[in-house]
Amino acid sequence: MTTKSPNYCHPERSRFSGGAKDLLRVLTLIIVALLPLRGSAQDMPLFRWENFTTANGLPNNHVFCVLVDGQRIWAGTENGLGLYENGAWKVFRPDADQKLQSLAHQAVLSLALDKRTGDVWAGTMGGLSRLSAGRIDTFTQLTSGLSNDIVYGVGVQGDFVWTATAAGASRLNTRTGQWSLFNNRNTPMYEIWTYSVSPAEDKVYYAVWGGGVLEYDQKTERWKNYDDPDGETEMVVMKDQGLIHEITTSVSYVDKMLWVATYFGASRYDGRYWHNFLTKDSGLPSNFLNQVKAIDANRAWFSTDKGLAYYDGANWAVYRPALDTHKPEMLVRDAAGTVKKIPVQSAPAHNYILGVDFQGDDIWVATAKGLSHGIRQKSPVETAQVLTTHKATKKK
Amino acid sequence: MPAQRTWRASFRRMAKVAAIFAVALLAVAAKPAARQSTAVSKERYLSPIEMVSSPDGRLLYVVCQDSDEVRVVDVPSGKVITRVAVGRMPRGIALSPDGRQLYITNAWSDTVSVIDTAPLQVVQTLPTGAEPSGVVSDADNTTLYVANRLSGDISVIDRKSGQETKRLLAGRGASYLAISPDGKWIYCTHIYPNAGPFRSQPNSEITVIDTARQTVIERKPLHNVAGVFHVALSADGRLGVAAQLRPKNLIPLAHVEHGWAFGDSLTLFGPDVSGTVQIPIDELDRYYALPWGVTIAPDKSKIFLTAAGSESVTVIDVPRLLKTVHTRRQQFVNDLSASADYVLARIPVGHNPRGVLLSPDGKRLYVANRLDDNLAVIDTNSDKVISTIDLGGPKNVDALRRGERLFYTAGFAFQGQFGCANCHLDATIDGLQWDLEPDGFGKDIVDNRSLESLAGTEPFKWNGGNPDMPTECGPRTEKFFFRSQSFNQQQLTDLVTFVYSLPYRPNRYRQPGGRLTEAQERGKAIFERSRTKNGKLIPEMNQCGYCHSGPKYTNQKQVDVGTGKLTDRSPVIDVPQLSNVAYSAPYLHDGSARTLEEIWTVYNPKDTHGVSNDLTKDELNDLIEYLKTL
């Protein structure tokens, strides 16, 4: 390739002297430095994955949820609650002789941590259980004010424990023992199948399966609903005009940004503007989302039926066993829509992802075929090293 | 002859008069003691219950429960030098590590009074949970921990802000706290057992708090235990001891001998014993009821333990105790001969001895004789009472005080095994169901009920079989409970007077001024309704307000509401009062309903105990919110 004279290619440049060129370079650098700090596609997190199954002591391979509590990892599965600590699994299951002093049900759908007390709350198919320093207390719809035994979601906010159940929302005041119920009778909820709850700061958000999103304002004690402006259709006529779809599965409210996962895409709402994400215009591997979990206002993780996706505000990364070959796969899509495959040696246990939680820079992932621990490879240099190693390996 | 007839007629007349007079005398003698009104004027007794000393041992700070104050005693002179008024029903006390502040829990005010020991004035009042009892300060005096008996949790209070930063889940009836000598751990014990399945062995726990993280890190299980009182740690932190009861509530109360009603015991824990070990303190033919206050000598030579129902202090030789524990590797808590290996002495003290305190040099043991308004001073070398400190309470012992002494003493039971207060802990409940009468195992199971505000709720017993309190507490008690002598007429009168005087405790669910919240108002409407939701008239006798009517929410009748079990001789029960029903779980006559919800969700399938099956879950919750305010 020949290099043409800069003066020939760019007649305008002939007007700039050497000093001006330096100034131009400096100004360019400054402008680039002042641009919003959005990572480049090459900076997407890289993980080495360790996967746990029943062969390692996990109670069941179908993992609904995962909760990180320091060095302890809780996994809610279809057949028991697992606690991974000091390299070993301990399993909790119901005891028929101690119904209210053992796990409510073997299918554990949701988990939440009370960071102040260290208590863990488990939402199950048969009630709500609190695990506190080895003691389990269970609440059911027959023995307490819990609205329904199918507890899809649970969240802790101060002295309150919020639950999302198949028959509306309930809130337990742990100081007074009072239960408050929220459903179609006292909120804008028209569907009472609540699927997920995200309490944070002064708001509580509910994902209502088939009923959009509900917001509870702690200060005013009022409810507000957010619905798909397209109604209950799968068409997106009014993109970015509101919630992407009514069938919501998960909400995550962090840094005053609401993220919503649905079966038909994802939404983000900053209190004024909506932004929707679909496979056709984002790096989402699928529009079928089981969970969204935000890190901050810009970054979030999406659990889909076709892989785990990460969004840093501009770029996307997808981690999964490849859909065709089942070999470890990492895809990176930049802001311009260019997709690259990053060579990796490992992947989450399965592409059907149900939930995640964070442990520092690491990530734990609940999948349909096991629990995965993503051990963060620290720097982009390592990414480059991996690429270099890959190229070298290919040459050989 | 006429004189003889006259004499005989006179004799017959006199005989008639004498017979009538004799019958009248018998009638008076047999008449039950008149029911005492609660409006009996009473002395304001002090009822000392706990104490701490100044770091130099020259002052004693004594919590006086019934006079709502702290009395300060100058130890050298043995005199009360001042009194500091605090909140209602003070119960616990702690001294800050620097000795400059006292913390007093006010059980009926739900506060902690902070007293500055220099001017001896209350300088601050801190909010807590429901019925605060035990209190400790952390080693830095930055955080207070308060055990809340009714809310079953521990308030963590920041001293700087005076605010509660969080509540830690404890067991039911969280009451007593002790901090390890290194300040790293706090131990909490509980006067009620944790909830468990119906008719299962009672279980409690010692809740262990990590003070660095301010979280619960362990719950030491206590099997077959219900009623744990004071807890103490040795100076080296290697031995912990908790005073406790082991009730045998699952079998009829027919086998009182050999300890088959209550076992008085201790739980030992810590590195000296590896895990937890329960040990008996009773003897084969003599019991030391209601083990309450406990402390360990600074040199770990002795454990001192009050028997609140047996008017005594038990002294235990620690080295011999530990030797017994290590030698007998199997559990031996039911072997009543074991205590002979390590009990050194039983020191008679006053009525209802509660808190104990060792002087800083360990030479003196102070015992709060709650129902004598004084402190016994014991020489720990000779294990004898050497003096008594009069706290200045009334000298007159009136009927109420006499009755209270009878309530707490185990002196009437066979071999002194238990008194009324064994089941009615601090005149409340024990959280257990009992199989009381010898009518066969598992028949007529009864739930223990609170004794507050009983006047006007006759008859008594779960089936209404006892028409009044003297019948409830009289010869029946001798026959079915004590298996020994019972009260004479005067004693019975005094006891009844006391029981009827027990007041209604503060209800935390009510708003100030008696207002109800919206949920409680809705619940009240449901309680008072006369029609179902579809407009059908509810038969009057099946309306909540029919049976649960009047100021105590009982119409004092006996009814069958469909809650009888196959094990009951009859399904007819006495309508119970609902005073403070929120605090007396479990429910129904036999305690089979663990929560208020279960009364209707499980045990009312045919709407025979009020109509509830047309209610939504919200409405049932509202009803329960209202019931909690009663």
Side-chain angles (χ1 to χ4, degrees):
Chain A
M1 185 179 82
T2 58
T3 304
K4 291 187 179 177
S5 160
N7 290 337
Y8 178 83
C9 292
H10 302 285
E12 297 83 356
R13 283 192 189 170
S14 63
R15 295 185 200 154
F16 294 101
S17 65
K21 285 179 193 173
D22 289 335
L23 179 61
L24 188 64
R25 282 196 200 104
V26 168
L27 285 173
T28 304
L29 282 170
I30 290 170
I31 289 164
V32 167
L34 287 177
L35 280 172
L37 287 171
R38 300 278 178 90
S40 68
Q42 192 157 334
D43 294 334
M44 300 307 271
L46 186 66
F47 297 96
R48 178 172 62 80
W49 297 93
E50 283 182 350
N51 297 322
F52 296 88
T53 65
T54 53
N56 310 109
L58 186 69
N60 184 274
N61 288 338
H62 192 174
V63 186
F64 288 115
C65 53
V66 60
L67 172 73
V68 173
D69 175 17
Q71 294 303 310
R72 288 146 49 106
I73 309 299
W74 297 88
T77 81
E78 195 172 277
N79 188 19
L81 173 65
L83 169 61
Y84 186 65
E85 187 174 26
N86 299 322
W89 283 96
K90 182 176 177 182
V91 178
F92 299 86
R93 291 197 175 98
D95 180 346
D97 294 329
Q98 295 276 345
K99 281 187 182 166
L100 296 186
Q101 274 67 52
S102 65
L103 192 65
H105 193 277
Q106 63 269 20
V108 180
L109 307 174
S110 53
L111 293 165
L113 174 68
D114 185 338
K115 289 180 180 161
R116 298 176 312 163
T117 65
D119 295 344
V120 171
W121 292 84
T124 79
M125 291 286 284
L128 177 70
S129 292
R130 173 181 53 206
L131 295 93
S132 175
R135 190 177 105 199
I136 303 178
D137 296 300
T138 281
F139 305 86
T140 71
Q141 65 189 66
L142 291 188
T143 65
S144 73
L146 179 70
S147 49
N148 186 270
D149 281 347
I150 302 178
V151 184
Y152 286 114
V154 60
V156 178
Q157 184 188 42
D159 292 326
F160 293 112
V161 176
W162 293 84
T163 56
T165 81
S170 37
R171 181 185 70 187
L172 170 65
N173 182 329
T174 56
R175 286 202 185 187
T176 65
Q178 182 187 7
W179 289 88
S180 303
L181 302 192
F182 304 100
N183 47 47
N184 54 306
R185 285 182 277 276
N186 54 0
T187 75
M189 204 186 286
Y190 62 91
E191 274 282 353
I192 59 172
W193 194 285
T194 55
Y195 218 57
S196 158
V197 58
S198 177
E201 301 162 33
D202 55 347
K203 297 263 175 51
V204 179
Y205 286 93
Y206 272 87
V208 186
W209 201 98
V213 169
L214 278 180
E215 171 194 280
Y216 178 77
D217 188 315
Q218 298 269 54
K219 287 179 194 156
T220 64
E221 297 183 345
R222 297 178 77 87
W223 291 87
K224 184 177 175 184
N225 56 311
Y226 299 94
D227 296 295
D228 179 0
D230 302 313
E232 292 185 21
T233 71
E234 269 62 86
M235 293 187 293
V236 182
V237 174
M238 303 190 201
K239 188 163 189 300
D240 292 344
Q241 299 297 308
L243 183 64
I244 188 72
H245 201 275
E246 287 292 273
I247 302 182
T248 55
T249 57
S250 169
V251 281
S252 182
Y253 180 60
V254 177
D255 286 350
K256 306 239 185 275
M257 185 73 76
L258 174 67
W259 301 78
V260 186
T262 82
Y263 278 173
F264 297 90
S267 293
R268 186 183 66 190
Y269 180 56
D270 65 5
R272 188 180 175 91
Y273 299 108
W274 288 88
H275 182 81
N276 297 327
F277 304 91
L278 295 165
T279 53
K280 64 179 182 181
D281 55 19
S282 74
L284 276 175
S286 170
N287 290 326
F288 188 96
L289 307 175
N290 289 310
Q291 191 208 48
V292 60
K293 194 165 179 75
I295 299 172
D296 54 36
N298 290 309
R299 299 178 292 166
W301 288 83
F302 297 86
S303 301
T304 85
D305 66 337
K306 291 190 173 66
L308 175 67
Y310 170 67
Y311 177 60
D312 72 357
N315 310 289
W316 289 84
V318 174
Y319 311 84
R320 65 185 179 189
L323 299 177
D324 47 3
T325 64
H326 304 296
K327 289 187 177 168
E329 178 177 79
M330 176 180 172
L331 302 171
V332 171
R333 178 189 186 275
D334 64 17
T338 307
V339 179
K340 286 183 183 171
K341 246 188 199 179
I342 305 294
V344 289
Q345 307 301 315
S346 58
H350 196 264
N351 51 272
Y352 195 99
I353 312 293
L354 290 114
V356 302
D357 201 1
F358 312 118
Q359 186 180 38
D361 288 332
D362 289 1
I363 188 168
W364 287 81
V365 185
T367 85
K369 290 274 174 73
L371 178 73
S372 299
H373 178 198
I375 303 163
R376 182 72 181 269
Q377 307 303 297
K378 292 294 182 192
S379 67
V381 170
E382 291 177 84
T383 308
Q385 283 176 342
V386 169
L387 289 171
T388 307
T389 305
H390 178 71
K391 280 183 188 170
T393 307
K394 277 184 85 173
K395 276 185 184 173
K396 284 178 185 173
Chain B
M1 281 301 170
Q4 212 175 15
R5 258 192 229 128
T6 304
W7 178 84
R8 280 185 189 143
S10 297
F11 181 77
R12 278 196 289 272
R13 275 199 299 276
M14 283 171 60
K16 275 183 194 168
V17 168
I20 291 168
F21 187 62
V23 167
L25 272 180
L26 277 171
V28 169
K31 181 182 165 193
R35 199 189 87 189
Q36 298 294 315
S37 159
T38 54
V40 173
S41 63
K42 60 178 236 176
E43 303 277 1
R44 187 111 196 256
Y45 294 99
L46 309 181
S47 302
I49 193 167
E50 303 288 351
M51 58 224 147
V52 295
S53 72
S54 57
D56 61 6
R58 294 187 64 83
L59 295 175
L60 286 178
Y61 304 102
V62 185
V63 176
C64 295
Q65 192 177 47
D66 282 339
S67 58
D68 297 340
E69 60 184 356
V70 172
R71 292 214 168 184
V72 185
V73 175
D74 173 72
V75 172
S77 65
K79 302 282 183 212
V80 173
I81 58 173
T82 194
R83 299 147 60 165
V84 184
V86 290
R88 293 181 67 200
M89 193 63 75
R91 186 173 282 164
I93 185 169
L95 187 68
S96 61
D98 60 7
R100 292 163 71 170
Q101 287 167 329
L102 284 167
Y103 305 109
I104 316 296
T105 53
N106 304 306
W108 284 15
S109 305
D110 294 350
T111 59
V112 168
S113 296
V114 182
I115 296 175
D116 187 321
T117 55
L120 282 172
Q121 287 175 357
V122 175
V123 295
Q124 198 178 14
T125 303
L126 308 172
T128 66
E131 202 165 309
S133 299
V135 57
V136 293
S137 165
D138 70 347
D140 303 325
N141 201 28
T142 58
T143 308
L144 272 188
Y145 294 82
V146 178
N148 301 306
R149 184 177 286 187
L150 278 186
S151 46
D153 49 29
I154 297 165
S155 294
V156 181
I157 301 174
D158 175 64
R159 282 292 295 116
K160 196 173 176 186
S161 66
Q163 297 301 313
E164 236 186 310
T165 55
K166 58 177 146 180
R167 292 265 182 98
L168 301 176
L169 179 70
R172 188 178 182 201
S175 293
Y176 300 99
L177 297 172
I179 188 164
S180 60
D182 60 9
K184 289 184 178 177
W185 319 112
I186 289 173
Y187 301 88
C188 178
T189 55
H190 311 80
I191 71 161
Y192 303 131
N194 285 344
F198 181 59
R199 296 284 288 154
S200 62
Q201 68 180 34
N203 290 305
S204 187
E205 68 175 60
I206 298 176
T207 312
V208 185
I209 298 167
D210 177 335
T211 57
R213 291 161 50 193
Q214 295 183 350
T215 56
V216 176
I217 54 149
E218 187 188 356
R219 299 179 193 276
K220 296 183 186 294
L222 301 179
H223 299 301
N224 280 306
V225 171
V228 190
F229 309 106
H230 274 267
V231 56
L233 280 300
S234 59
D236 62 5
R238 293 183 54 83
L239 180 65
V241 59
Q244 63 179 40
L245 286 173
R246 290 171 53 88
K248 283 40 171 203
N249 61 308
L250 300 179
I251 56 173
L253 206 69
H255 200 54
V256 177
E257 57 269 30
H258 300 302
W260 282 104
F262 281 94
D264 305 294
S265 55
L266 297 175
T267 280
L268 310 176
F269 58 95
D272 277 354
V273 294
S274 305
T276 59
V277 177
Q278 297 188 33
I279 61 131
I281 58 166
D282 295 325
E283 296 162 9
L284 274 166
D285 58 357
R286 188 74 207 162
Y287 307 91
Y288 296 89
L290 282 183
W292 204 277
V294 66
T295 190
I296 305 177
D299 60 2
K300 213 159 80 174
S301 59
K302 293 179 180 176
I303 292 171
F304 299 94
L305 170 69
T306 54
S310 299
E311 298 88 35
S312 65
V313 169
T314 295
V315 186
I316 294 173
D317 182 305
V318 175
R320 280 163 54 179
L321 171 64
L322 292 178
K323 184 181 174 187
T324 303
V325 167
H326 295 135
T327 304
R328 299 183 64 163
R329 294 167 191 265
Q330 304 278 342
Q331 180 177 249
F332 62 93
V333 67
N334 288 326
D335 176 8
L336 299 185
S337 68
S339 62
D341 290 344
Y342 42 80
V343 171
L344 282 174
R346 313 274 190 185
I347 309 171
V349 290
H351 292 95
N352 195 222
R354 294 289 194 113
V356 284
L357 174 73
L358 278 164
S359 59
D361 60 11
K363 291 183 178 177
R364 296 285 181 264
L365 180 76
Y366 302 101
V367 179
N369 294 319
R370 190 176 78 90
L371 298 180
D372 292 343
D373 283 357
N374 62 36
L375 306 179
V377 183
I378 293 174
D379 178 297
T380 58
N381 194 40
S382 64
D383 291 334
K384 290 189 188 316
V385 175
I386 56 172
S387 66
T388 303
I389 297 176
D390 183 352
L391 294 173
K395 297 295 173 264
N396 175 44
V397 181
D398 66 7
L400 285 174
R401 176 105 311 178
R402 292 196 304 267
E404 191 170 7
R405 287 176 177 173
L406 292 167
F407 186 87
Y408 280 94
T409 188
F412 290 86
F414 182 69
Q415 296 173 347
Q417 194 168 141
F418 56 90
C420 310
N422 270 66
C423 295
H424 296 287
L425 295 166
D426 276 345
T428 62
I429 57 172
D430 60 6
L432 299 173
Q433 305 91 47
W434 286 85
D435 185 0
L436 283 178
E437 296 182 11
D439 49 8
F441 282 80
K443 287 254 193 286
D444 287 344
I445 305 303
V446 292
D447 178 47
N448 190 349
R449 287 171 27 190
S450 179
L451 304 181
E452 53 194 306
S453 194
L454 283 182
T457 66
E458 302 83 356
F460 300 107
K461 193 175 168 180
W462 65 279
N463 57 7
N466 293 329
D468 50 39
M469 190 61 71
T471 310
E472 176 80 3
C473 299
R476 168 184 171 267
T477 303
E478 167 189 338
K479 182 176 176 184
F480 292 119
F481 289 84
F482 294 160
R483 309 268 160 183
S484 181
Q485 70 182 82
S486 190
F487 310 112
N488 63 31
Q489 199 61 33
Q490 180 63 56
Q491 289 167 335
L492 183 59
T493 302
D494 292 342
L495 178 64
V496 169
T497 302
F498 169 69
V499 173
Y500 272 134
S501 76
L502 291 167
Y504 183 70
R505 289 177 292 173
N507 181 294
R508 276 79 175 177
Y509 296 96
R510 293 188 183 157
Q511 307 298 304
R515 289 178 295 109
L516 298 179
T517 63
E518 286 181 15
Q520 290 163 354
E521 286 282 5
R522 293 193 299 265
K524 183 169 186 273
I526 295 170
F527 185 87
E528 295 173 346
R529 69 175 181 163
S530 56
R531 290 184 180 275
T532 63
K533 287 167 66 177
N534 60 8
K536 188 177 166 190
L537 184 69
I538 300 173
E540 189 187 19
M541 288 181 64
N542 204 20
Q543 296 175 19
C544 303
Y546 176 81
C547 289
H548 294 292
S549 55
K552 307 286 177 72
Y553 298 92
T554 171
N555 63 358
Q556 300 171 274
K557 295 188 192 310
Q558 292 75 57
V559 293
D560 176 2
V561 292
T563 55
K565 307 296 191 300
L566 292 175
T567 50
D568 294 325
R569 281 179 291 170
S570 165
V572 175
I573 58 162
D574 178 50
V575 174
Q577 66 276 16
L578 301 181
S579 316
N580 271 334
V581 68
Y583 302 137
S584 61
Y587 302 103
L588 297 182
H589 67 286
D590 59 354
S592 53
R594 289 175 60 169
T595 61
L596 286 168
E597 284 84 356
E598 284 193 3
I599 294 173
W600 295 286
T601 60
V602 177
Y603 294 104
N604 194 33
K606 296 180 181 174
D607 277 339
T608 50
H609 187 187
V611 176
S612 62
N613 288 301
D614 65 331
L615 298 177
T616 64
K617 184 65 176 166
D618 316 55
E619 289 163 343
L620 183 62
N621 280 9
D622 289 340
L623 173 64
I624 286 165
E625 284 303 305
Y626 172 66
L627 290 176
K628 288 179 182 176
T629 68
L630 301 181

